[in-house]
Amino acid sequence: MARILVAEDEEQLRGLVARALLENGHDVVTAADGGAALDALGRGGQFDLLLADIKMPVMDGIALALATARDHPKVTILLMTGYADQRERAHGLNALIHDVIAKPLVGGGHPRGRDQRASRRAGHGHSTRSKILQ
């Protein structure tokens, strides 16, 4: 399964996402802000996916995505936000990220769903997000 770094400043949501991913067999590391996530990436951790909130203290998800894409280009990046204006900020990052997931996450507490844009990029019927989160 995938090794996933979850960067989310809201403790309850961070725990919920981590539990859902762990229940599906993934190796999960969590960080309470972008700076802590960048530290985890820099400590030599090999991650398959970075799932990061856009609006966080210390370093926001946009800056984290840019640093991750630059220093760890093999890591798939998904951003999440509950704010429409933050989604717009990520609009120019299409070449670096697979998608921006809207919060609150759906599916009875489990972050699931299909990401059509990532599906088209991957060239097959299931998206990266769907495969990893289900």
Side-chain angles (χ1 to χ4, degrees), residues 26-103:
H26 301 289
D27 180 18
V28 179
V29 174
T30 62
D33 59 59
L38 193 61
D39 288 345
L41 285 161
R43 285 193 299 267
Q46 297 290 337
F47 293 96
D48 300 300
L49 174 70
L50 168 63
L51 177 58
D53 189 11
I54 292 177
K55 191 172 181 177
M56 293 186 291
V58 181
M59 172 185 275
D60 71 11
I62 302 289
L64 178 58
L66 291 169
T68 301
R70 180 192 67 224
D71 299 339
H72 308 278
K74 293 183 180 183
V75 175
T76 299
I77 302 168
L78 289 176
L79 298 177
M80 56 185 168
T81 187
Y83 302 96
D85 64 325
Q86 297 301 315
R87 179 179 279 277
E88 290 301 316
R89 287 185 57 218
H91 181 69
L93 300 177
N94 290 339
L96 303 178
I97 64 171
H98 275 281
D99 198 11
V100 178
I101 303 167
K103 295 190 312 186

Side-chain angles (χ1 to χ4, degrees), residues 16 20 104-113:
L16 175 72
L105 302 173
V106 297
H110 290 276
R112 297 182 186 218

